Structures are given as C-alpha cells and as structure tokens.
Amino acid sequence: MKTSESEIIHIQQHAAEKYVNDIYETIKQRNPNENEFLQAVKEILDSLLPVFMKHPKYMENGILERITEPERLIIFRVPWVDDNGKVRVNRGFRVQFNSSIGPYKGGLRFHPTVNASIIKFLGFEQIFKNALTGLPIGGGKGGSDFDPKGKSDGEIMRFCQSFMTELCNYIGPDVDVPAGDIGVSAREIGYLFGQYKRIRGGYQAGVITGKGLAYGGSLTRKEATGYGTVYFVEEMLNNSGLTFKGSTVVVSGSGNVSIYAIEKAAQLGATVVACSDSNGYIYDPLGINLSTVKRLKEVERKRIKEYINVHPHAKYVEGCSNIWAIPCDIALPCATQNEIDINSAKLLIENGVKAIGEGANMPSTLEAIELFLQQKVLFGPGKAVNAGGVAVSALEMSQNSMRLSWTFEEVDEKLKEIMKNIYQKSVKCSEEFGHPNNLVVGANIAGFLTVAEAMLAHGII
Ligand code: NDP
C-alpha cells in the first residue's frame, strides 16, 4: 500500500520530535540545575523541528549533540585585594562554545548572579546571534560573580588585572575575542586590555573589543547594540505599516543598551516615557531626559531614582519589574534575562502593546514569548534584535587588522545594513520553514543553518 503525503509528513514529524526530545533529555541530565541554559536550549531545539523534517541530513553527524555541548568551559579563581587590604576571591568563567565559523566572540559579564548556567546560556545564544550577523565570528561568553557596584576605581582595576592574568592564557585575536556586557564597559575593558598587553608584551588590539577610541576602539561601538535594536524594530514595524514616529516606548534598564536604544528611538520621533535600574523605574510622561540619565549612569554611576531630583514632575517607583505595567506601543526590554514573565506579558498586552524588541539577552520567558506570538504582537527575539553590538565588535576587529578607522557614519551605515539583513534573513527562514511572522523560529533557523553547514564541512570534531 502506498504511503500518502500526509502520512509521510506525520512520520517525519514524529522522527524529528523524538530526535529532539531524546537530545533534550540527555542535556537535562548532563546539566542539572542549569535552568537558564536549559531554557535557551529548549527554545532553539523547538524551533529547529521544521529544519529536521525538511532536511533530515541535519539529524546525522551529531550536529545537535555537538552544538549544545561547549567546546570548552574554563573556570578559574580570581583573587584580589580590596581597599582595606582584605583578600577577596571571585570566580571567573569563559565558555568557548563553538568556533565553526570564526574565533569565539562574546562579552564578559561582571554581576553577582553570574554562574556556569548564565554563562552557558549566553554563550549558546551567541553562536546563533553571531552567525546571523553574516560575519566570521564563533560563539563564546565569560564573566565573573564579582559585583562592580560600590567598588572604588582601584578595586575595579585590581580585579580586572587579576581576572585577565588568568584569562589571557585562553584568548587571542584569532582564538577568542571578549568584549563588554553587564557590569563591563569602557573602564573595565581598558584595564583588561592594559593587563593583556603587559603580559603578552605586544600590541594585539584585536584581542578585545569595546575599546576606547584612543587605543583601537571603533566609533559607533558604544551605541551599536541600542541603535541596532531600534533599527531592527523599525524594520519590523514598517513591515506592518507602523513606525517609531509618534509612538510611546518603555525601555527597561539604564545601562549601555538602554541608553542608546532610548537615544535612537527618540531620534526617530518616539516618546520614551520610562527606564529603570535594578532598584526601580522612573516614569516621565514628557519623555525621558537622556542627558540626565547619561550623567547619572555613565559619569556619576548613581541610582536612577536621582532623576526625580532634577525632574520633579517625573515619578520614581521602587521595584523594576513593575515597569511593564506602563501603557506603551513598543516595549524594549534592555536590562537582563527573564525580566518579562507571563504576568508582565499579560499586562503589556492588556495595555495595547504592538511590538516587543529584545535589546537584552533572553529577557522574556518561554511562556511570555508564546503569549506574544499567540496574540500577534510583533516580537523581535534578542538573538536577532541585539546582534548589532557584536556586529560592530567584529567591525572593530576588521579595523584593527587593517590598522585604520572608519568614521561614525560609515560604521553606522554598515550597522543599519546588517540589522536590515538580519531582519530579512529571519523573515525569509520563518516563511520557508512554515512559520510566517515567527521571528523566533526564523532567526534560530537562519543562525543554525550557517553554523551547521560549517560543522558538516569540518567533519566530526
Ligand atoms: P549594563 O551593565 O550597561 O546595564 C544593565 C542595566 O540593566 C542596568 O540598568 C542594570 O541596573 C540593569 N540590570 C542588570 N541586572 C539586572 C537585574 N538582575 N534586574 C534588574 N535590572 C538589572 O549592561 P548592558 O546594557 O551592556 O546589557 C544589558 C543587556 O543587554 C544584557 O542582557 C546583555 O547581555 C545584553 N547585551 C548587551 C550588549 C552590549 O553590547 N552591551 C550586546 C548584546 C546584548 P543596575 O545598574 O541597578 O544593576
């Protein structure tokens, strides 16, 4: 008896689901208690089902088994001495997840919540994000449970020097190129680069990105993640006949990504009415005054609540998660992972949100994403939306190799083009694999196909 087409599809689907489920069970057993890592893996595995149904070759050669296991995870002791002469010890991490398409590339996070699960989730996501940029960079990430808050400049410098003294054994311009992330900005990058240079005894500018302009940094790198987020979301909005112009926007966080997302959204004619830090949020119906936020956060390193001392008409509310109760057209979560849970998602939808753009990494829980997609809210996933930062980091590496510097406008133009391409690639893959308008599936598949092709070419390594 001949098997019908629908029966074949059913058999293929069953085979793909069993393959993915079996692998996920093994990953769960091998990485117990690593909830963030498992969440990131689950999202990718679920969205790859249509690939395995359409191209069973990707179920061979252990692509999925290999791509979910880091090539290397380095954990090290970071001893340093505080201003009172007391010895402190933190833990350092670097995950070198996948180097199929280029040297490992991904930021360093200094935050008390950092652990192996957080670093592995970030490194895993980075593989697909970096592939999406179309640039030759593999996936990596690192950091420490060190808390920079409240530390003196001297303490930050001594910590960074100790951290780099160990990390320098594993990185290099063609091997692994770190950058900033939460808690690591220009100041920390300067100390890290200085120590690398001192130990290695040569000027290898391409070993780290996010450098200051005086010593090999790229114009537009500081702005890249925030601007890129807004460029991506503007593409997504335009495709549905919407725009930033005239819309109300809420941005969480008030760090590097948030500040430049606010700046670009305002330049495009939006009113950004709220932003936050880990203590609480400010609401300014007239539109956030960005010079004040920049001064408080980039220069004085103060808390966001100080904003109301300068702008008394604004309101400060304790507790940062409540920010999603503010009605807005566009929400840009730019602070940290899992900041939008199912309850925040429901509030946003009830209040009429039209689009979400994830400037942070994995800021929405799996349940929240499912609800946004179900309710037809335009949803731009972090891997695609915030890829502008790493893309300009790769452009910084190019400029370092060529020993020249592009202008702000040149880099900004390239960034715009890259974000547009990422959007188009994600849309194309979502349609080609039967999930139109689902950019989560589209972005994951587009990133995966590039890396998988390279892994197939390299053999079983
Ligand atoms: P910053 O350290 O510059 O800023 C982080 C902001 O988020 C701060 O306002 C911080 O508040 C807040 N925040 C941090 N942790 C928490 C928490 N647990 N709960 C609530 N608020 C929190 O980091 P970035 O702007 O660089 O990074 C923000 C996000 O964007 C991260 O998810 C990062 O991985 C992602 N990202 C960053 C890129 C970059 O180029 N910088 C590139 C791609 C993604 P407080 O000061 O009180 O801690």
Side-chain angles (χ1 to χ4, degrees):
M1 202 172 58
K2 222 171 137 217
T3 318
S4 73
E5 201 176 318
S6 68
E7 280 169 329
I8 292 173
I9 291 175
H10 185 72
I11 292 166
Q12 282 171 335
Q13 183 166 355
H14 183 71
E17 277 171 5
K18 177 162 179 2
Y19 173 67
V20 162
N21 288 341
D22 287 353
I23 288 181
Y24 185 63
E25 281 312 309
T26 308
I27 296 171
K28 258 176 36 185
Q29 279 169 23
R30 190 179 279 163
N31 305 278
N33 309 318
E34 296 195 350
N35 294 336
E36 295 83 3
F37 176 56
L38 293 172
Q39 180 183 342
V41 168
K42 179 102 180 80
E43 184 206 288
I44 291 272
L45 295 194
D46 286 350
S47 56
L48 292 180
L49 278 174
V51 176
F52 300 130
M53 285 172 64
K54 200 166 169 182
H55 303 296
K57 72 169 179 174
Y58 292 117
M59 287 197 280
E60 294 153 20
N61 294 302
I63 297 274
L64 210 47
E65 289 90 332
R66 288 187 287 139
I67 210 170
T68 50
E69 182 68 21
E71 289 175 20
R72 204 165 293 107
L73 173 62
I74 301 145
I75 303 183
F76 51 97
R77 181 173 70 197
V78 191
W80 56 283
V81 181
D82 71 17
D83 286 347
N84 299 319
K86 186 168 176 262
V87 174
R88 306 273 203 111
V89 178
N90 284 97
R91 186 171 281 178
F93 297 88
R94 186 72 185 166
V95 67
Q96 299 183 329
F97 225 116
N98 193 296
S99 58
S100 303
I101 63 167
Y104 310 103
K105 180 93 197 82
L108 297 172
R109 176 177 292 191
F110 291 170
H111 194 272
T113 56
V114 163
N115 56 33
S117 171
I118 300 272
I119 295 300
K120 280 166 68 182
F121 116 64
L122 290 163
F124 182 65
E125 296 247 301
Q126 201 81 42
I127 305 171
F128 305 91
K129 180 192 305 195
N130 293 2
L132 271 174
T133 65
L135 299 165
I137 36 179
K141 198 84 190 186
S144 173
D145 57 0
F146 172 75
D147 187 356
K149 259 189 232 127
K151 303 288 188 300
S152 69
D153 258 6
E155 289 176 324
I156 299 279
M157 183 179 74
R158 292 195 292 281
F159 174 80
C160 288
Q161 289 175 339
S162 180
F163 184 86
M164 183 52 87
T165 301
E166 180 64 23
L167 186 71
C168 74
N169 295 312
Y170 312 103
I171 62 173
D174 295 315
V175 181
D176 183 352
V177 183
D181 190 80
I182 292 179
V184 178
S185 55
R187 172 178 60 165
E188 290 75 17
I189 294 289
Y191 294 144
L192 291 164
F193 179 69
Q195 183 72 350
Y196 182 86
K197 187 171 77 64
R198 183 185 193 195
I199 295 175
R200 285 279 173 255
Y203 208 101
Q204 301 176 38
V207 71
I208 197 162
T209 59
K211 296 183 292 295
L213 295 175
Y215 62 97
S218 172
L219 285 161
T220 325
R221 174 59 189 94
K222 187 174 62 172
E223 295 82 358
T225 311
Y227 278 21
T229 294
V230 172
Y231 292 149
F232 185 100
V233 174
E234 181 71 350
E235 286 291 321
M236 186 168 80
L237 292 168
N238 289 171
N239 204 31
S240 296
L242 303 167
T243 172
F244 268 100
K245 196 171 168 51
S247 57
T248 301
V249 178
V250 168
V251 177
S252 64
S254 49
N256 173 260
V257 181
S258 318
I259 285 177
Y260 294 96
I262 295 173
E263 184 164 281
K264 187 50 73 178
Q267 280 172 12
L268 294 187
T271 306
V272 183
V273 294
C275 70
S276 59
D277 61 19
S278 54
N279 293 112
Y281 72 83
I282 48 159
Y283 172 66
D284 187 339
L286 302 180
I288 299 285
N289 183 310
L290 197 56
S291 324
T292 306
V293 176
K294 280 187 181 178
R295 178 174 55 74
L296 288 174
K297 291 295 176 180
E298 292 186 332
V299 184
E300 297 171 357
R301 299 177 195 279
K302 289 195 170 149
R303 309 311 299 158
I304 201 67
K305 72 169 165 210
E306 309 255 347
Y307 182 93
I308 55 169
N309 298 339
V310 191
H311 306 283
H313 65 273
K315 192 168 93 176
Y316 172 73
V317 179
E318 199 68 30
C320 51
S321 60
N322 303 330
I323 194 170
W324 305 119
I326 300 172
C328 63
D329 302 309
I330 301 162
L332 303 178
C334 294
T336 193
Q337 64 275 355
N338 292 329
E339 50 172 311
I340 300 189
D341 61 8
I342 188 75
N343 294 325
S344 304
K346 281 181 187 161
L347 272 175
L348 281 161
I349 292 168
E350 272 166 32
N351 288 329
V353 75
K354 298 187 187 78
I356 313 283
E358 294 189 321
N361 283 313
M362 210 168 76
S364 317
T365 62
L366 291 172
E367 296 76 26
I369 297 175
E370 207 174 301
L371 189 67
F372 289 135
L373 293 173
Q374 246 174 36
Q375 297 297 313
K376 309 256 180 284
V377 175
L378 300 175
F379 184 80
K383 259 180 236 91
V385 172
N386 69 38
V390 76
V392 173
S393 273
L395 299 181
E396 182 175 331
M397 290 161 73
S398 305
Q399 293 168 80
N400 294 151
S401 298
M402 293 190 288
R403 298 183 192 280
L404 51 77
S405 306
W406 293 322
T407 63
F408 186 94
E409 290 72 24
E410 279 174 297
V411 183
D412 193 32
E413 213 33 62
K414 288 183 205 300
L415 169 65
K416 245 184 240 167
E417 205 48 41
I418 289 169
M419 297 317 296
K420 198 171 171 176
N421 282 338
I422 294 176
Y423 175 73
Q424 285 168 351
K425 259 188 239 178
S426 307
V427 169
K428 184 165 168 279
C429 274
S430 72
E431 287 167 357
E432 206 174 301
F433 286 88
H435 291 265
N437 303 320
N438 184 333
L439 297 180
V440 177
V441 168
N444 287 343
I445 292 180
F448 173 79
L449 290 177
T450 306
V451 180
E453 230 22 73
M455 288 177 77
L456 280 176
H458 294 163
I460 312 295
I461 57 167

